[in-house]
Every structure is written in C-alpha cells, then in structure tokens.
Amino acid sequence: QVQLVESGGGSVQDGGSLTISCSASEDMYCMAWFRQAPGTEREGVAYITTGRSTSYVDSVKGRFTISRDNAKNTIYLQMNSLRPEDTAMYYCAARTGGYCQMNPNIFTEWGQGTQVTVSS
C-alpha cells in the first residue's frame, strides 16, 4: 500500500510563509494538495504531475507554488502571503494513471494531513 507522509505544517502570522511537504513510498503520476477547514468541504489547492504540469485554485494563484522532486517521490507546497482564510488541515493526495485534476474523487491515496494555522 502506498504511504503518503506530510510534514511542515505549523502556525504563522498573517502575511507569513510556510512550506509543507509530502513524501510518497513510490512513484505517483499525479500528486496534489487539498485542504479542509472545519465545517467546509475539502478543497483542491494545487496538483503536479511527474512531468511537472501544475494547476492551482484561483484563491492561491500567485501566492502558492507546488513543486516536486521525482527522485525522492516528494512534493512541496511553498505558501507565501498567507491569510487567515488559508487556515485548514492540508492533505496530500496521489494517484497513478495518465490524468490529473483537482477532483478529490480521482485520488486513491491520501495522507493524514498537516495543520496550517494563520493568525491575524
């Protein structure tokens, strides 16, 4: 079974930066970050393929950058200009196969989540 291990969450002030990472136990074509705040639905944040094609939700464009190290089966999410509304549990998701999209239903593997809290 594929294991996804997230790390790097924490608490920052409004406008601060944080980088979270997710390491997979094997190569996965599509890896993504989702987030979920209490009382809300899980929201796609960004995804990246092994070919480094990326996509972002509009609310994080220009502030967040997703990247990956294929040799380490690891993805990163560099988050800049953080806002209180970015506060959520951030989950790593992954899938094999030839397509990738910001739809949680297509992902077969999920991490346990890492908390990101932005205070004003």
Side-chain angles (χ1 to χ4, degrees):
Q1 185 174 354
V2 177
Q3 290 186 324
L4 301 179
V5 179
E6 300 113 329
S7 62
S11 297
V12 295
Q13 295 285 326
D14 190 356
S17 297
L18 203 61
T19 298
I20 55 178
S21 64
C22 171
S23 294
S25 56
E26 58 185 77
D27 182 37
M28 304 297 282
Y29 171 73
C30 173
M31 296 184 72
W33 289 102
F34 288 80
R35 65 186 180 185
Q36 188 168 22
T40 69
E41 293 187 354
R42 192 165 293 192
E43 172 190 43
V45 177
Y47 71 69
I48 187 167
T49 67
T50 50
R52 296 185 172 83
S53 293
T54 61
S55 181
Y56 298 88
V57 68
D58 285 346
S59 61
V60 308
K61 286 179 180 177
R63 300 189 298 123
F64 291 10
T65 301
I66 190 169
S67 61
R68 71 185 287 164
D69 183 337
N70 288 335
K72 297 181 179 179
N73 296 329
T74 298
I75 64 169
Y76 307 91
L77 187 68
Q78 171 70 43
M79 301 180 287
N80 298 324
S81 301
L82 281 160
R83 306 165 180 167
E85 53 263 40
D86 295 316
T87 295
M89 184 72 79
Y90 283 69
Y91 296 93
C92 178
R95 60 163 282 130
T96 55
Y99 71 97
C100 199
Q101 57 183 257
M102 212 88 76
N103 177 355
N105 296 321
I106 72 165
F107 289 91
T108 56
E109 313 297 336
W110 290 86
Q112 294 299 306
T114 186
Q115 179 68 37
V116 173
T117 302
V118 185
S119 57
S120 57

